[in-house]
Amino acid sequence: NLKSIRGFEGIGARYYFSVFHRAIKPGWAVFNGRSMNPPQDNVNAVLSFLYTLLFYRVDAALETVGLDPYVGYLHVLNYGKPALAFDLLEEYRTPLADTSAVALFNLGILTVDDFEPVTGDDVEYPLESEDSLSEENISPVKKGVLLSKDGLKKVIPQLEKKLDTLFFHQELGTRLTYKKLFFEQARHFRRVLSGEEMAYRPLQIK
Protein backbone atom coordinates (compact mmCIF):
# COMPACT_ATOMS: atom_id res chain seq x y z
CA ASN A 1 0.00 0.00 0.00
CA LEU A 2 0.96 3.65 -0.26
CA LYS A 3 2.12 3.91 3.35
CA SER A 4 4.54 1.00 2.97
CA ILE A 5 5.85 2.34 -0.36
CA ARG A 6 6.66 5.65 1.30
CA GLY A 7 8.31 3.76 4.15
CA PHE A 8 10.56 1.82 1.78
CA GLU A 9 11.41 5.05 -0.06
CA GLY A 10 12.38 6.68 3.23
CA ILE A 11 14.61 3.75 4.23
CA GLY A 12 16.27 3.68 0.82
CA ALA A 13 16.88 7.43 0.91
CA ARG A 14 18.47 7.22 4.36
CA TYR A 15 20.89 4.50 3.25
CA TYR A 16 21.66 6.30 -0.01
CA PHE A 17 22.38 9.68 1.55
CA SER A 18 24.30 8.14 4.46
CA VAL A 19 27.13 7.36 2.01
CA PHE A 20 26.63 10.13 -0.54
CA HIS A 21 29.44 12.23 0.97
CA ARG A 22 31.97 9.57 -0.09
CA ALA A 23 31.51 10.57 -3.73
CA ILE A 24 32.56 14.18 -3.12
CA LYS A 25 36.28 14.96 -2.92
CA PRO A 26 36.82 18.58 -1.74
CA GLY A 27 37.24 18.80 2.02
CA TRP A 28 35.34 22.09 2.18
CA ALA A 29 32.24 20.49 0.61
CA VAL A 30 30.00 19.65 3.56
CA PHE A 31 27.23 17.06 3.54
CA ASN A 32 25.71 15.96 6.84
CA GLY A 33 22.79 14.01 5.40
CA ARG A 34 19.92 15.27 3.26
CA SER A 35 18.40 18.51 4.52
CA MET A 36 16.06 21.02 2.92
CA ASN A 37 13.76 23.94 3.52
CA PRO A 38 16.38 25.27 3.93
CA PRO A 39 19.51 23.28 2.96
CA GLN A 40 21.90 23.13 5.89
CA ASP A 41 25.18 22.81 3.95
CA ASN A 42 26.67 23.56 0.55
CA VAL A 43 26.14 20.11 -0.97
CA ASN A 44 22.45 20.18 -0.05
CA ALA A 45 22.20 23.67 -1.52
CA VAL A 46 23.31 22.30 -4.90
CA LEU A 47 21.10 19.21 -4.71
CA SER A 48 18.02 21.24 -3.83
CA PHE A 49 18.59 23.72 -6.62
CA LEU A 50 19.14 20.97 -9.20
CA TYR A 51 16.02 19.11 -8.05
CA THR A 52 14.04 22.32 -8.42
CA LEU A 53 15.29 22.90 -11.97
CA LEU A 54 14.43 19.33 -12.96
CA PHE A 55 11.02 19.63 -11.36
CA TYR A 56 10.08 22.49 -13.67
CA ARG A 57 11.17 20.42 -16.67
CA VAL A 58 8.97 17.49 -15.62
CA ASP A 59 6.03 19.77 -14.81
CA ALA A 60 6.24 21.45 -18.23
CA ALA A 61 6.43 18.09 -20.02
CA LEU A 62 3.30 16.81 -18.25
CA GLU A 63 1.28 19.88 -19.16
CA THR A 64 2.55 19.77 -22.74
CA VAL A 65 1.23 16.23 -23.28
CA GLY A 66 -2.10 17.07 -21.65
CA LEU A 67 -1.71 15.54 -18.19
CA ASP A 68 -2.75 17.22 -14.96
CA PRO A 69 0.41 17.51 -12.81
CA TYR A 70 -1.67 17.95 -9.65
CA VAL A 71 -3.15 14.44 -9.71
CA GLY A 72 -0.43 12.08 -8.54
CA TYR A 73 0.01 8.71 -6.89
CA LEU A 74 2.99 8.57 -4.53
CA HIS A 75 3.29 12.07 -3.08
CA VAL A 76 0.65 13.46 -0.77
CA LEU A 77 -2.22 15.18 -2.56
CA ASN A 78 -2.34 18.69 -1.16
CA TYR A 79 -4.04 21.75 -2.58
CA GLY A 80 -1.73 23.59 -4.97
CA LYS A 81 0.95 20.86 -4.95
CA PRO A 82 1.72 19.18 -8.32
CA ALA A 83 1.95 15.62 -6.97
CA LEU A 84 2.34 13.88 -10.35
CA ALA A 85 5.27 16.11 -11.27
CA PHE A 86 6.94 15.16 -7.99
CA ASP A 87 6.18 11.47 -8.67
CA LEU A 88 7.85 11.46 -12.09
CA LEU A 89 10.73 13.63 -10.89
CA GLU A 90 12.03 10.71 -8.81
CA GLU A 91 13.54 8.79 -11.74
CA TYR A 92 15.73 11.76 -12.74
CA ARG A 93 17.25 12.60 -9.36
CA THR A 94 20.25 10.27 -9.33
CA PRO A 95 21.22 10.11 -13.05
CA LEU A 96 20.82 13.85 -13.66
CA ALA A 97 20.88 15.90 -10.45
CA ASP A 98 23.07 13.84 -8.11
CA THR A 99 25.73 13.08 -10.71
CA SER A 100 25.78 16.73 -11.77
CA ALA A 101 26.23 17.85 -8.17
CA VAL A 102 29.18 15.51 -7.65
CA ALA A 103 30.81 16.72 -10.88
CA LEU A 104 30.36 20.38 -9.94
CA PHE A 105 32.36 19.82 -6.75
CA ASN A 106 34.92 17.28 -7.94
CA LEU A 107 35.83 19.11 -11.15
CA GLY A 108 36.43 22.34 -9.28
CA ILE A 109 33.61 24.21 -11.03
CA LEU A 110 32.19 25.34 -7.69
CA THR A 111 34.34 26.87 -4.97
CA VAL A 112 33.72 27.73 -1.34
CA ASP A 113 32.99 31.33 -2.38
CA ASP A 114 29.96 30.26 -4.43
CA PHE A 115 27.84 29.77 -1.29
CA GLU A 116 26.36 32.10 1.29
CA PRO A 117 24.67 31.63 4.67
CA VAL A 118 21.08 32.84 4.86
CA THR A 119 18.57 33.43 7.65
CA GLY A 120 14.92 34.37 7.84
CA ASP A 121 11.90 33.31 5.83
CA ASP A 122 13.39 33.57 2.31
CA VAL A 123 15.79 30.68 2.62
CA GLU A 124 14.20 27.92 0.58
CA TYR A 125 14.11 27.02 -3.07
CA PRO A 126 10.72 26.97 -4.80
CA LEU A 127 8.62 23.91 -3.87
CA GLU A 128 11.46 22.61 -1.70
CA SER A 129 9.17 21.21 0.99
CA GLU A 130 7.76 18.66 -1.46
CA ASP A 131 10.98 17.20 -2.80
CA SER A 132 10.58 13.77 -1.18
CA LEU A 133 7.79 11.37 -0.31
CA SER A 134 8.61 11.95 3.34
CA GLU A 135 9.10 15.36 4.91
CA GLU A 136 11.29 14.12 7.76
CA ASN A 137 14.32 15.95 6.39
CA ILE A 138 12.79 19.44 6.49
CA SER A 139 14.79 21.62 8.83
CA PRO A 140 12.89 23.45 11.59
CA VAL A 141 15.72 25.99 11.73
CA LYS A 142 15.20 28.99 9.45
CA LYS A 143 18.84 29.42 8.59
CA GLY A 144 20.87 27.58 6.03
CA VAL A 145 23.18 27.73 3.03
CA LEU A 146 22.28 28.67 -0.54
CA LEU A 147 24.19 29.18 -3.75
CA SER A 148 25.30 32.75 -4.39
CA LYS A 149 24.42 34.50 -7.65
CA ASP A 150 27.81 33.51 -9.05
CA GLY A 151 27.23 29.94 -7.91
CA LEU A 152 23.85 29.80 -9.63
CA LYS A 153 25.46 31.00 -12.84
CA LYS A 154 27.85 28.05 -12.70
CA VAL A 155 25.27 25.36 -11.90
CA ILE A 156 22.65 26.21 -14.54
CA PRO A 157 24.87 25.84 -17.66
CA GLN A 158 26.33 22.60 -16.33
CA LEU A 159 22.87 21.08 -15.97
CA GLU A 160 21.88 22.37 -19.42
CA LYS A 161 24.96 20.68 -20.86
CA LYS A 162 23.97 17.44 -19.13
CA LEU A 163 20.41 17.65 -20.47
CA ASP A 164 21.73 18.07 -24.02
CA THR A 165 23.71 14.81 -23.73
CA LEU A 166 22.67 12.07 -26.14
CA PHE A 167 22.08 8.57 -24.81
CA PHE A 168 20.64 5.38 -26.26
CA HIS A 169 17.04 4.75 -25.22
CA GLN A 170 16.59 0.98 -25.30
CA GLU A 171 12.79 1.00 -25.35
CA LEU A 172 12.65 3.40 -28.30
CA GLY A 173 15.74 1.96 -29.97
CA THR A 174 17.16 5.39 -30.70
CA ARG A 175 19.43 8.08 -29.31
CA LEU A 176 17.88 11.17 -27.75
CA THR A 177 18.71 13.91 -25.27
CA TYR A 178 17.52 14.04 -21.69
CA LYS A 179 15.56 17.18 -22.60
CA LYS A 180 13.51 15.11 -25.04
CA LEU A 181 13.28 12.25 -22.56
CA PHE A 182 11.07 14.31 -20.23
CA PHE A 183 8.45 14.50 -22.97
CA GLU A 184 8.87 10.86 -24.06
CA GLN A 185 8.34 9.66 -20.49
CA ALA A 186 5.32 11.93 -20.06
CA ARG A 187 3.76 10.51 -23.25
CA HIS A 188 4.61 6.99 -22.08
CA PHE A 189 2.86 7.68 -18.75
CA ARG A 190 -0.20 9.00 -20.59
CA ARG A 191 -0.37 5.81 -22.68
CA VAL A 192 -0.28 3.72 -19.50
CA LEU A 193 -3.17 5.74 -18.06
CA SER A 194 -5.22 5.28 -21.24
CA GLY A 195 -4.59 1.52 -21.27
CA GLU A 196 -2.46 1.52 -24.42
CA GLU A 197 0.48 0.14 -22.41
CA MET A 198 0.48 -2.12 -19.36
CA ALA A 199 3.13 -0.67 -17.05
CA TYR A 200 5.24 2.45 -16.65
CA ARG A 201 8.96 1.96 -17.27
CA PRO A 202 11.14 4.57 -15.57
CA LEU A 203 14.52 5.71 -16.85
CA GLN A 204 17.27 3.17 -16.24
CA ILE A 205 20.94 3.96 -16.75
CA LYS A 206 23.19 1.00 -17.52
Side-chain angles (χ1 to χ4, degrees):
N1 58 39
L2 189 55
K3 184 177 180 179
S4 65
I5 289 174
R6 289 174 178 161
F8 284 124
E9 190 271 348
I11 293 170
R14 273 193 287 275
Y15 279 119
Y16 177 78
F17 285 117
S18 72
V19 297
F20 188 74
H21 67 280
R22 298 182 183 179
I24 299 174
K25 297 178 181 179
W28 58 266
V30 180
F31 184 76
N32 295 314
R34 183 74 179 110
S35 62
M36 60 185 188
N37 194 26
Q40 296 296 292
D41 51 57
N42 43 30
V43 174
N44 273 294
V46 176
L47 289 174
S48 291
F49 184 59
L50 288 170
Y51 293 157
T52 298
L53 294 177
L54 289 179
F55 164 83
Y56 286 121
R57 293 278 184 174
V58 175
D59 186 66
L62 290 173
E63 294 200 24
T64 299
V65 303
L67 291 173
D68 186 347
Y70 292 88
V71 183
Y73 297 86
L74 300 177
H75 287 79
V76 177
L77 296 178
N78 287 329
Y79 180 78
K81 298 296 183 180
L84 181 57
F86 287 118
D87 286 351
L88 298 191
L89 170 64
E90 297 295 333
E91 63 188 287
Y92 304 112
R93 289 180 184 274
T94 297
L96 298 181
D98 297 356
T99 57
S100 294
V102 170
L104 284 161
F105 285 104
N106 291 353
L107 297 178
I109 298 170
L110 289 174
T111 69
V112 67
D113 296 327
D114 291 320
F115 300 88
E116 56 188 15
V118 291
T119 58
D121 293 330
D122 299 324
V123 293
E124 60 189 71
Y125 290 117
L127 305 168
E128 178 72 34
S129 63
E130 284 288 337
D131 94 332
S132 70
L133 304 187
S134 166
E135 296 189 357
E136 295 176 359
N137 50 357
I138 295 176
S139 173
V141 182
K142 283 298 180 181
K143 61 180 181 179
V145 178
L146 296 183
L147 284 155
S148 65
K149 289 183 179 180
D150 288 338
L152 295 174
K153 292 177 182 178
K154 293 179 180 180
V155 172
I156 293 172
Q158 289 299 313
L159 179 62
E160 288 296 313
K161 182 179 179 181
K162 179 87 170 182
L163 297 182
D164 283 328
T165 302
L166 283 168
F167 76 102
F168 184 75
H169 193 294
Q170 295 204 0
E171 295 292 337
L172 297 177
T174 187
R175 288 166 62 84
L176 74 163
T177 65
Y178 290 105
K179 283 182 179 178
K180 291 184 178 180
L181 178 68
F182 296 127
F183 296 95
E184 290 296 334
Q185 290 298 88
R187 294 187 187 97
H188 169 38
F189 190 83
R190 186 181 63 183
R191 291 193 295 271
V192 173
L193 289 180
S194 65
E196 298 174 60
E197 297 184 31
M198 292 298 296
Y200 183 74
R201 299 178 300 279
L203 167 67
Q204 293 185 353
I205 301 295
K206 294 185 177 180

